[in-house]
Amino acid sequence: MRFAIIGAGLAGLTAAYEIHKADPSAVIDVLEAGERIGGKLFTVPFASGPTDIGAEAFLAARSDAVEFFTELGLADSLVSPSEAKSQYYAGGKLHEFPAGGVMGIPAEAPTEAPEAPADTDHPFDWTPGQDISVGELVRRQYGDEIVDTVVSSLLGGVYSSTADDLGVRASVPALAAALDQLAEAGEQVTLSAAVKTVQAQREATKGTSETSGTSETRPVFQTFKGGYAELYEALAEQCGADIHLDSFVSAITKNAEGFTIKGGGEGTYDKVILAVPAPTAAVLLRDVAPDAAPHLRAIKLASSAIVGMRFDSSDGLPDNSGVLVAVNEPGITAKAFTFSSKKWPHLESRGGALVRASFGRLGDEASARMDEDLLVDAALDDLLTITGFDGRAAGLSEIFVQRWFGGLPAYGVDHIATVAAARAEIAHVPGIEAIGAWAGGVGVPAVIADAQAAVHRLIK
Ligand SMILES: Cc1cc2nc3c(=O)[nH]c(=O)nc-3n(C[C@H](O)[C@H](O)[C@H](O)COP(=O)(O)OP(=O)(O)OC[C@H]3O[C@@H](n4cnc5c(N)ncnc54)[C@H](O)[C@@H]3O)c2cc1C
């Protein structure tokens, strides 16, 4: 059996690994447009040590991911964060995130905001299964301030999009499920009731796993001691595939012999997996599954830029894991800072300070396109304004700027239905699958699970 996989990011490499595991005799060609593997996982060799400039952590609460990394022989590489917490910057000041709540949405309507008196959370009509943007839902019930400061900054850290561009069902699924649950039970649907329902469910799950002795030892997030390169290099070594770099695929066609790939690979393939962003999948499927294209094209992408900076001294850098910036904060260009050496003890042990500045949200391409010198200056200026830490005086010894054009799919309103519609069209063509961050979740564990499920469907 001959397989072609388009894209050597996490999804493509995981798919190759799973195919090889299931059928060691399979011939697998991975065709990658770029000159390196890993996609949005990218570890840069700073002189001070390997440094992630794309994804920098994963949700270790997902035991399936930890099991997968263990299977790859990487259990000893997993490291946990410090106890440091992040803060948010709004109105020219640093603030603690409110305790509890769901993605920064509190269990009670905020009272301090004049436009959001406590009685705004009136019951509303909710049809189970419906979707709405997080911004619209929370603005209507709790007022603007909580959305533009806390909720959008938290969601922006995950999706590079504001609450107004994200659907509640795909980006805060537990909240959508709680709204459904209230409506189905015939109870009054309010935002605070839904948030309380999610909190109660979390407490119940915590209680159950504590009783079974499983939760307390596992941190919520983890990363790899040597950066994500440990993961993508292990996958490349163990996947039994021929990985072809600089192989930009421009079309896929199908005839009686199988699939032919334009731009890479040799001969025909029995099965093809597209592990590329949704708009690229739309283009590549135009011959074999043209009706999938409109759905895939509907998935928007947010661009961002990361400035990784290493300073000789950490004196004056706050003891936090980072800062998320409120939307439209005057005088600030950055969207977030991660104080990597405060967040991760293994990075702190290198000495000095490691800081990542992030720029750009959905609809703001300009930040990601800023001139490199301007980006670095903005990172240093914003860091000084927000924290008082003078990076220039602290000795900026290493810098790496990475732009992620179309780096993250925006999980907008009806995203789940859009993905289902695209996949239904693709399913009409036996032997082809399309996977990746746009489909089952942007986080590393979700991308792995999506690739595993697709391989299972393809070779069952
Ligand atoms: C800045 C940033 C920070 C992030 N932080 C985290 C984090 O801390 N934790 C977390 O869990 N997740 C994080 N994510 C998300 C996570 O990194 C991604 O969702 C995941 O890596 C995506 O994997 P993928 O294989 O779906 O796509 P990609 O990594 O985009 O891989 C797709 C591959 O396809 C190739 N390709 C595209 N077009 C073609 C073509 N025509 N022909 C051949 N090859 C092609 C690309 O070059 C690329 O290598 C972050 C993402 C970004 C951008």
Side-chain angles (χ1 to χ4, degrees):
M1 189 77 75
R2 285 172 53 81
F3 291 82
I5 298 175
I6 326 291
L10 177 62
L13 293 173
T14 301
Y17 171 84
E18 292 293 329
I19 293 168
H20 183 61
K21 192 169 83 179
D23 176 7
S25 68
V27 173
I28 311 166
D29 281 335
V30 179
L31 308 170
E32 166 56 47
E35 56 185 22
R36 48 168 286 272
I37 60 167
K40 272 90 191 185
L41 309 181
F42 185 18
T43 309
V44 174
F46 272 30
S48 49
T51 301
D52 277 318
I53 211 83
E56 54 97 42
F58 68 88
L59 191 59
R62 292 245 339 216
S63 57
D64 53 347
V66 177
E67 281 158 22
F68 183 66
F69 303 145
T70 304
E71 181 181 310
L72 288 167
L74 297 173
D76 290 343
S77 296
L78 302 183
V79 285
S80 302
S82 67
E83 300 280 304
K85 301 253 183 305
S86 59
Q87 291 184 308
Y88 70 97
Y89 186 75
K93 280 192 283 209
L94 282 169
H95 307 262
E96 304 297 329
F97 279 105
V102 177
M103 209 28 116
I105 308 167
E108 300 292 345
T111 48
E112 68 272 25
E115 84 279 19
D119 68 352
T120 50
D121 191 21
H122 297 302
F124 55 91
D125 289 335
W126 181 262
T127 309
Q130 82 166 84
D131 205 2
I132 184 175
S133 82
V134 180
E136 188 182 344
L137 174 68
V138 183
R139 273 180 209 292
R140 212 175 55 194
Q141 304 302 123
Y142 285 0
D144 292 333
E145 185 170 337
I146 187 88
V147 178
D148 294 331
T149 54
V150 178
V151 182
S152 275
S153 67
L154 276 173
L155 285 167
V158 181
Y159 291 101
S160 284
S161 294
T162 66
D164 298 304
D165 290 316
L166 295 167
V168 66
R169 197 158 288 281
S171 59
V172 199
L175 188 62
L179 291 165
D180 290 353
Q181 204 180 315
L182 290 168
E184 277 158 4
E187 290 177 32
Q188 279 200 338
V189 180
T190 62
L191 184 53
S192 53
V195 171
K196 283 176 193 150
T197 303
V198 178
Q199 285 177 328
Q201 285 162 349
R202 281 192 188 152
E203 282 305 309
T205 321
K206 214 165 123 203
T208 320
S209 46
E210 272 166 14
T211 324
S212 61
T214 54
S215 91
E216 277 177 315
T217 47
R218 192 183 300 135
V220 177
F221 290 98
Q222 286 193 303
T223 196
F224 294 86
K225 209 186 309 176
Y228 263 115
E230 292 207 56
L231 174 60
Y232 55 78
E233 282 167 8
L235 282 170
E237 274 163 29
Q238 297 178 43
C239 73
D242 282 330
I243 301 175
H244 306 264
L245 300 178
D246 297 317
S247 297
F248 178 86
V249 173
S250 58
I252 301 170
T253 51
K254 188 175 190 318
N255 60 25
E257 309 293 307
F259 297 96
T260 307
I261 312 290
K262 189 170 174 202
E266 264 180 32
T268 54
Y269 293 90
D270 303 298
K271 313 230 163 171
V272 175
I273 298 183
L274 283 86
V276 293
T280 311
V283 173
L284 298 184
L285 287 170
R286 65 183 174 254
D287 286 330
V288 287
D291 292 339
H295 305 295
L296 290 164
R297 272 200 301 268
I299 299 170
K300 295 191 196 120
L301 301 179
S303 295
S304 58
I306 303 282
V307 181
M309 300 174 289
R310 200 246 170 208
F311 305 100
D312 294 333
S313 165
S314 64
D315 289 352
L317 191 66
D319 284 328
N320 300 319
S321 59
V323 174
L324 295 158
V325 180
V327 177
N328 297 328
E329 181 65 17
I332 304 291
T333 316
K335 169 188 78 176
F337 287 91
T338 307
F339 305 151
S340 308
S341 51
K342 299 281 184 183
K343 180 172 178 181
W344 301 105
H346 71 286
L347 297 179
E348 185 168 37
S349 68
R350 293 180 186 174
L354 207 51
V355 174
R356 279 163 54 118
S358 311
F359 295 83
R361 293 187 173 96
L362 183 70
D364 168 22
E365 285 280 317
S367 301
R369 289 187 187 278
M370 262 164 72
D371 179 77
E372 189 157 326
D373 291 344
L374 292 178
L375 266 175
V376 175
D377 273 340
L380 292 167
D381 291 345
D382 290 352
L383 187 59
L384 180 63
T385 305
I386 292 173
T387 68
F389 178 78
D390 185 344
R392 294 177 182 92
L396 179 56
S397 54
E398 295 190 84
I399 312 173
F400 194 95
V401 175
Q402 175 67 35
R403 297 163 206 277
W404 294 113
F405 293 117
L408 279 163
Y411 274 38
V413 174
D414 292 332
H415 179 80
I416 292 172
T418 304
V419 170
R423 285 220 154 135
E425 293 299 339
I426 295 166
H428 291 141
V429 189
I432 200 153
E433 286 284 346
I435 58 175
W438 56 270
V442 298
V444 161
V447 173
I448 292 169
D450 185 54
Q452 290 171 323
V455 170
H456 184 73
R457 287 193 296 272
L458 208 55
I459 61 180
K460 68 175 182 269

